[in-house]
Amino acid sequence: MSRADAPTAETGRRTRRPGGGPRPRKGWTARRRDLLAGYLFVAPQLLGSVLFVLVPLALVFWYSFHEWNVLVGSFEFTGTANYERLAADPALPGVLAATATFSAGLVALNLSLALALAVLLNQKLRGTVVFRTLFFSPVAVTLVAWTIVWRFLLQDDGGVNGLLSAIGTDGPNWLRGETTAMIAVIVVQVLKNVGLNMVLFLAALQGVPHELYEASMLDGAGRWTRFRRITVPMISPTILLTSIITVVGSLQVFAQIDVLTGGGPGTSTTVLVYYLYQNAFQFHDFGYGATLSVLLFAIVLVLTVVQWQMRRKWVVHED
Amino acid sequence: MRITRRTMVAAAAASPIALAACGGESDDDGPVTLRVTVWSANEDHLALLNGIAEAYLADHPEVEAIEFDPLPFEGYTSTLTTQIAGDNAPDLAWILENSAPDFVTTGALVPLGDKLSSTDGYDVDDLVPAATELWRHDDELYAYPFSTSPFAMFVNNDLLAEAGQPTAAELAASGEWTWERAVEAGAAVRAQTGADGIVIRDFDYSGWDNLSTLWTGWGARPWSEDGTECGFAEPEMVEAMDFMHRSVFEHEAMPGPGTTADFFAGEAAMTVTQISRAGLLEDAAFAWDLVPLPAGPAGEYSVIGQAGIGVLAVAPHPEQAADFLAFMTGPENSQKLAQYFPPPRQSQLTAEVLGQANPLLSPEQLQTVVIDRIDEGVVKPSHTGQAQIDQAVRAALDPLWTADADVEGVLTEVCAAIDPFLAR
Amino acid sequence: MKTERSGRAKLVLYGLLCLLAVPFVFPTWWMVTSSLKPANEIFAFPPSLWPGDPSLDAYGRVFDFAPFAQQYFNSMYIAAVVTVGTLAVSSLAGYAFARIRFPGHNALFLVILVGLLIPSEVTIVPLFQMFNSWGMIDTHWPLLLVPIFGAPSVLATLIMRQFFIALPVEIEEAGRMDGLGRFALYARIALPLSRPALGAVAIFSFLHSWNLYLEPVVFLSTPEKFTLPQALTQFVDAYGGPMWDVQLSAATMSALPVVIVFVIAQRQFVEGLAHTGIKG
C-alpha cells in the first residue's frame, strides 16, 4: 500500500517545483500524471481483487467441470456433467425455494425494521443514545455465541416460550416446525445485524435538511405523507446501498443456519449456501460444490445488477 | 511445497498457482515433522499424547517433532477435508466412526497390516475382531480403533426411588431389565417428579445413529450387511421406532424434540451413552449406577462407539507416520491411552486396566458393561457416503417427531430417500 | 421529523422502544448472567434472570484451559491491522473511482465489485491452496491479506466512493490552484474531510475481522494462533461436550470491549455518518 502511494506523492511534489504555478498542471503531462495517480490509487484494491477474488473464482469455475472427490482422491475432467446433474438435482427446487423465502423475508424484515428503528430514534427524545446502543449491541456479539444462545432460547422449554407463557400464551416448538424454523432463522439473523442498517439509516435521516419538513408542514402534509414524500426520496441512496448489502448478505448466511437448524426440519431451511457447504465439505464432493458456487454467484450477480439498474428509477440523486 | 499423490498431482495440473508453487523443498532429507489432527482440545488428552510423542522422538532422530492439532469437534471431518483439498493433509488423523467407511474403503488411508505385524511386540492378534471390523476393508486394516467404548445406561437411583420405582440393578437381578420396563420407570419418574425419564444422549432428534442403541434390541438395522438394502421399513425397525415414538409422545418417558435434559446435572432418571462419560459424575449430587442396555424383544445386545486413527494416503510422510502409529498403539502405549479411551486389545480389557481409567466405576460395572459386551458389540451404523445418507435420513425422519406421525409411512419415506445412495 | 411530543406520546414511544429492545438485549443478558452461574443452573427452566449465587469462577477457568490472553491479543491485533489496512486501501481506491476519470475506471470498478458478490464458502478452497503454496498456512497472513485487499474491503471502497462523490469538487479547487498533485489533494484535503466515512469503514472492517469464523478454522491449527470466535468452540470437556459456563464467560469477554467501544464512539459514528455520501 505504502509502495503504491509513495511515487504518487513524489509526482505531486515534482510537478509543483518546475511548474511554479497552476497553469502547467492543466497541460498534457499533468493530466497524464493524474491518470497515472488514478491507476496507482486503485492498484492495491485491484490487485487484491484479482488475486483473492477473481483467480479463486476462476478456479472454482474450472473445478465445476471436474469430478473431484477429495477423500477418494479423484480429479477428473467431466465436461458439463456437474451442470447436467445440477439441472436434474431433485433437491434443488426445494433449496432454491427455501433460499428465496429466506432472503425475501430477511431483506424485508431487516430493511423495514432498520428504517422503523431509525425513524423512532431520530426523534428529539432523551435516552435515544441508550436505545441506539441497545439495538446495535448484538452486532458486537460474536456470531457463534449469539447463535448458540438463541438456539437455547428457542427450544421448546427455552427462554422465548418461557417469556410467552409468562404473558399467558403457549409458544410453538420453534425449531421443529418448518414454518416456525424459517421464521426463527430469519429473525435471529435480523436481530444480529439490523443495528448496522439502523445506524446507516439514522445517519441518512440526520442528513435530511430540516427546512424540507418545515416547508411541507406549512403545506399541511401529515406525518406519513412527509415520510413518503420527503424522507424516503431523500434517503433513497442509502436504501439502495443497504438493500444491496442486505440482499447479498442474505444469500451468504451459513453459520447461523448450521447452528440453529442444520438445514432442517426436513430440508426446510437448507438454503443454497448451506447446500453448497454440505456438498463440498460434508459430502466431500468439491466438483459439485463448485458447480453450486457458480450457481450462487450467478444468482447474486443477477440480483445485484437488477437492483443497480433499478436505482435510476427510484433513487433520487445519484451522481 | 510437497507434491502429494493423485488428488494433488491432478489439482496441481489444474491450478496454475499450485503448479507454480510445486517443486520447492524435498521431504527426503533431514528430520521430518509429523502432524496429527485430533478433535479433543482437552488438556489431559493432549498431555498424554505429547508424552507418548516425546518418548518416540527420543529414539527416532528421523522425526523432529510431532504436533497434535486439535480441530473443533463440530465440523471436524469437514475441516480435515478442507486441509486435504488445500494440499495440507496431516500425516495422521483421528477418524470418527461414522466417516470410517468413507476413509477406509476409498483408499484415503494407508494400509497398516504389514507395518503392525512387523513391529516387535505389537501382537496384532490381541486386537478384538469385533473392534477392528469397521476399520478393515478387503482383509486389510486401515485404521486403529483407539477408542472402543460400549454404550450403557446410566441410572439416577434417587429419581427412581422418588418415583417409587425399583432400581435398574434390582430389575436386572430379577431378569426384568427390558426396554418396556425401563420406559415404564421413566414414565413414572416423569409423572411423579417432573424430571425427565430416559435420554438417548446426543440423539437430540438429529443424531439418529444414536438410536441404534435402541433398535438393535429389536434386531433392527438401518441397512443390510452389504449396505445395499434399506432396513428402515423392515418390521423390526417399524416396531422399534413405534416403541420409541410411543415412549416420547404417549408415555412421555423420553423428552420431546426441542427439550434439553442433562442426566449428569440430575435432570433425567436414565441416559444411554458411552461409559467414558462417567467422568462427568465426579461431583454428582445423586446416587447413580451403570448397567448394560436393557434387553429388547430380540434379547440382550450391545452397541459400541468407536474412534480410529489412521495414516492418510496423501500424508507428507506416510512411512514415518505409520511407524509412529505402530509405536503409539502398541501394548505399552495402548495401556496409557486406556486412561481415557477403552482399548481394542483383548489383554487390556480387564477390570483392572479399565479401572484406572474410570475410577468412578466398580470392577463389577466394568465387567458387565464393558468387558462382557465388547466382543458381541454392534458398531453404530456407518456406510460409504455416510454424510449424505446421514443428512438424508435426518431430513426424512423429521416428520416422525410429531405426536400424530404415521411411523410406517415415514420409515418408507426414509428408504425412498436413501435408496439412491445405498445403490451406489 | 424532530418535533416535540406530548407527554403521553412520549410514554407510548418509550414503551414501544423498550418492548422492541427486549429481543436485542435478552440474549446478551442471558449470556452475561449465565456466565456467572454454575454449569448445571444454566439450563434451568424457566431461565432465571439472575444467578442465585453469582461467581466469577468460570472466568478464571477460561485462562486455564486455553492461551486465552494470547488469542484475545491475536483477534485484537488482526482486527486493528485489518482496519488500518482497509482504511488505506479503500480510501485510495474510493477516491480514485470517484474523482479521477482515468480510462477504464468504470470497468475496473465493476471488476472490483465482483468481490461484493462472493460468499467466502465459495472461494475458501482455492484460497487455501494458494496460501498453502506460499507457505502461509497456520499463519495470520490469510486473515490479514484477504480482508484488506480481497472481497471484504470492497464494501469499504464502495462506501468511500459514495462519500467522495458527494463531496463537492469545489473544495479541492483551491488546492488545485495551489498546484497540489493528486496525492496531496487526497491526503491533505479529501481525507481529513472524510473522517465520518472512515469511521464507518473502520467499524465495518473491525467487526468483520472480529467475527470471522470459517477462515480461522480453516487456516489456523495452533491454539496459540487462534482468534476468539474459533477459541470459543474449544472450551469442551474431555468428551467433546461444551463447557457452557466457561464458553459463555469467554463469549462475554469477547463481546464486551466492542460494545463498550461502540458506546463511547457511537455519537461521533452516527452523527459523522450523517455527513457522508451514503446519507440521503
Side-chain angles (χ1 to χ4, degrees), chain A residues 73-146:
Chain A
S74 61
F75 188 82
E76 275 168 48
F77 187 80
T78 53
T80 55
N82 280 326
Y83 289 90
E84 283 156 29
R85 181 173 156 197
L86 184 74
D89 189 340
L92 197 63
V95 168
L96 291 178
T99 312
T101 313
F102 177 78
S103 290
L106 185 131
V107 171
L109 184 63
N110 189 330
L111 291 181
S112 52
L113 185 61
L115 193 54
L117 290 176
V119 169
L120 283 178
L121 292 178
N122 197 32
Q123 320 268 337
K124 245 191 200 144
L125 200 66
R126 278 173 162 276
T128 47
V129 174
V130 175
F131 283 108
R132 206 188 274 172
T133 312
L134 293 184
F135 293 130
F136 189 84
S137 63
V139 175
V141 178
T142 319
L143 183 67
V144 178
W146 177 257

Side-chain angles (χ1 to χ4, degrees), chain B residues 98-166:
Chain B
N98 61 14
S99 53
D102 281 336
F103 280 88
V104 169
T105 62
T106 55
L109 298 173
V110 172
L112 297 172
D114 289 347
K115 182 77 212 171
L116 298 186
S117 50
S118 67
T119 302
D120 277 348
Y122 192 86
D123 195 5
V124 180
D125 297 333
D126 193 26
L127 302 179
V128 180
T132 54
E133 194 185 333
L134 178 63
W135 310 91
R136 288 178 183 281
H137 180 59
D138 293 343
D139 285 339
E140 177 63 86
L141 186 68
Y142 283 89
Y144 173 90
F146 68 92
S147 177
T148 297
S149 182
F151 283 83
M153 185 81 94
F154 284 94
V155 184
N156 183 328
N157 283 341
D158 288 356
L159 278 176
L160 284 177
E162 203 181 326
Q165 293 293 317

Side-chain angles (χ1 to χ4, degrees), chain A:
Chain A
M1 143 83 258
S2 57
R3 229 179 272 148
D5 53 36
T8 327
E10 225 173 283
T11 319
R13 243 173 269 126
R14 227 185 274 143
T15 30
R16 206 173 172 189
R17 253 178 259 121
R23 281 295 114 195
R25 286 195 44 76
K26 295 260 158 90
W28 187 82
T29 12
R31 202 183 121 64
R32 217 175 69 153
R33 280 186 182 137
D34 205 37
L35 296 184
L36 182 67
Y39 289 117
L40 287 173
F41 278 26
V42 299
Q45 173 84 86
L46 193 63
L47 289 177
S49 287
V50 170
L51 202 55
F52 299 133
V53 177
L54 296 185
V55 169
L57 194 63
L59 286 173
V60 166
F61 260 98
W62 176 241
Y63 299 154
S64 76
F65 294 102
H66 292 77
E67 199 263 287
W68 181 8
N69 187 314
V70 179
L71 278 185
V72 182
S74 61
F75 188 82
E76 275 168 48
F77 187 80
T78 53
T80 55
N82 280 326
Y83 289 90
E84 283 156 29
R85 181 173 156 197
L86 184 74
D89 189 340
L92 197 63
V95 168
L96 291 178
T99 312
T101 313
F102 177 78
S103 290
L106 185 131
V107 171
L109 184 63
N110 189 330
L111 291 181
S112 52
L113 185 61
L115 193 54
L117 290 176
V119 169
L120 283 178
L121 292 178
N122 197 32
Q123 320 268 337
K124 245 191 200 144
L125 200 66
R126 278 173 162 276
T128 47
V129 174
V130 175
F131 283 108
R132 206 188 274 172
T133 312
L134 293 184
F135 293 130
F136 189 84
S137 63
V139 175
V141 178
T142 319
L143 183 67
V144 178
W146 177 257
T147 324
I148 290 175
V149 167
W150 270 103
R151 184 182 173 173
F152 170 75
L153 293 176
L154 284 167
Q155 289 207 315
D156 201 17
D157 56 357
V160 172
N161 285 348
L163 282 180
L164 287 177
S165 71
I167 57 168
T169 41
D170 268 342
N173 195 349
W174 293 95
L175 297 176
R176 301 300 306 187
E178 301 205 342
T179 317
T180 51
M182 180 60 89
I183 294 172
V185 201
I186 292 174
V187 169
V188 169
Q189 178 62 13
V190 166
L191 291 173
K192 171 81 174 73
N193 279 335
V194 74
L196 274 177
N197 281 347
M198 173 197 76
V199 169
L200 290 175
F201 281 135
L202 204 51
L205 287 175
Q206 297 188 347
V208 179
H210 206 222
E211 305 78 48
L212 286 177
Y213 291 121
E214 279 161 9
S216 75
M217 266 194 273
L218 291 178
D219 294 346
R223 202 174 281 277
W224 175 245
T225 317
R226 268 181 281 148
F227 178 73
R228 240 185 41 213
R229 296 260 178 83
I230 302 173
T231 313
V232 171
M234 286 304 287
I235 65 169
S236 52
T238 306
I239 298 179
L240 175 73
L241 183 80
T242 47
S243 69
I244 289 183
I245 298 172
T246 313
V247 168
V248 173
S250 75
L251 289 163
Q252 307 183 352
V253 170
F254 158 72
Q256 300 84 318
I257 287 180
D258 191 35
V259 175
L260 279 178
T261 66
T267 52
S268 55
T269 55
T270 304
V271 298
L272 188 52
V273 71
Y274 192 69
Y275 189 57
L276 181 171
Y277 174 84
Q278 282 184 333
N279 273 282
F281 294 96
Q282 293 186 334
F283 309 159
H284 317 304
D285 194 344
F286 278 63
Y288 193 54
T291 314
L292 291 166
S293 304
V294 172
L295 175 67
L296 177 62
F297 175 65
I299 292 175
V300 179
L301 188 66
V302 167
L303 284 179
T304 308
V305 168
V306 166
Q307 290 183 80
W308 193 250
Q309 290 305 320
M310 271 166 44
R311 87 190 191 282
R312 295 186 202 286
K313 280 216 176 124
W314 59 273
V315 173
V316 178
H317 44 154
E318 250 283 305
D319 55 317

Side-chain angles (χ1 to χ4, degrees), chain B residues 83-329:
Chain B
Q83 296 195 347
I84 299 174
D87 197 10
N88 190 40
D91 297 280
L92 297 110
W94 282 12
I95 296 160
L96 287 158
E97 71 201 326
N98 61 14
S99 53
D102 281 336
F103 280 88
V104 169
T105 62
T106 55
L109 298 173
V110 172
L112 297 172
D114 289 347
K115 182 77 212 171
L116 298 186
S117 50
S118 67
T119 302
D120 277 348
Y122 192 86
D123 195 5
V124 180
D125 297 333
D126 193 26
L127 302 179
V128 180
T132 54
E133 194 185 333
L134 178 63
W135 310 91
R136 288 178 183 281
H137 180 59
D138 293 343
D139 285 339
E140 177 63 86
L141 186 68
Y142 283 89
Y144 173 90
F146 68 92
S147 177
T148 297
S149 182
F151 283 83
M153 185 81 94
F154 284 94
V155 184
N156 183 328
N157 283 341
D158 288 356
L159 278 176
L160 284 177
E162 203 181 326
Q165 293 293 317
T167 65
E170 285 161 9
L171 288 173
S174 62
E176 287 178 84
W177 183 233
T178 61
W179 271 104
E180 204 72 49
R181 190 65 189 85
V183 162
E184 199 182 307
V189 168
R190 175 71 192 164
Q192 291 175 36
T193 69
D196 275 295
I198 306 173
V199 176
I200 297 182
R201 201 172 164 90
D202 301 321
F203 163 52
D204 215 12
Y205 295 87
S206 99
W208 58 270
D209 54 346
N210 288 292
L211 291 184
S212 67
T213 55
L214 182 139
W215 70 49
T216 309
W218 272 253
R221 57 203 320 173
W223 40 76
S224 57
E225 187 85 38
D226 63 0
T228 55
E229 304 278 332
C230 176
F232 277 96
E234 298 297 315
E236 296 87 8
M237 183 63 91
V238 175
E239 212 179 300
M241 294 300 253
D242 187 56
F243 177 81
M244 168 88 192
H245 189 266
R246 279 184 288 119
S247 304
V248 175
F249 294 100
E250 199 176 303
H251 309 303
E252 298 188 357
M254 299 185 187
T259 324
T260 311
D262 184 2
F263 171 86
F264 297 98
E267 294 163 1
M270 291 169 259
T271 193
V272 176
T273 189
Q274 282 165 295
I275 60 146
S276 48
R277 305 283 176 101
L280 296 171
L281 288 165
E282 208 164 0
D283 305 318
F286 52 87
W288 59 272
D289 196 1
L290 176 74
V291 294
L293 294 175
E300 291 189 351
Y301 65 102
S302 77
V303 177
I304 53 182
Q306 293 196 307
I309 180 167
V311 177
L312 291 167
V314 292
H317 318 290
E319 277 157 42
Q320 292 92 332
D323 194 62
F324 175 61
L325 190 145
F327 176 80
M328 181 181 169
T329 63

